[in-house]
Amino acid sequence: MIKLITSSDDQTEILGVKFGERITKNIQVLMFGNLGAGKTQFIKGVCKGLGIDEIIKSPTYTLMQKYRS
């Protein structure tokens, strides 16, 4: 496991963008964390990195959310 720590929403989103730019299609990303941990900000960045411009919803109460790229 790799642990990365960010100190702002912007940093978390930028980390997500960098991650999204490097992953391939048809990959599953599993996330877990406490409320307010930054999951939504990270996923917003991942989607930007993949070129997805849909409205991104919080993954906290979602079993599975698919976004098209």
Side-chain angles (χ1 to χ4, degrees), residues 10-54:
D10 289 341
Q11 284 182 355
T12 303
E13 192 170 321
I14 290 167
L15 182 64
V17 170
K18 291 178 180 180
F19 180 78
E21 291 172 342
R22 287 165 179 76
I23 61 175
T24 59
K25 289 187 178 185
N26 300 320
I27 190 171
Q28 293 180 355
V29 177
L30 307 176
M31 298 184 63
F32 64 93
N34 295 330
L35 289 172
K39 297 178 295 292
T40 302
Q41 288 305 123
F42 183 76
I43 290 300
K44 284 180 180 181
V46 170
C47 289
K48 280 184 184 178
L50 290 170
I52 297 168
D53 59 359
E54 295 178 39

Side-chain angles (χ1 to χ4, degrees), residues 44 52-57 65 67:
K44 284 180 180 181
I52 297 168
D53 59 359
E54 295 178 39
I55 294 173
I56 309 304
K57 298 178 183 176
Q65 182 68 44
Y67 296 101

Side-chain angles (χ1 to χ4, degrees), residues 1 8 20:
M1 175 162 61
S8 71

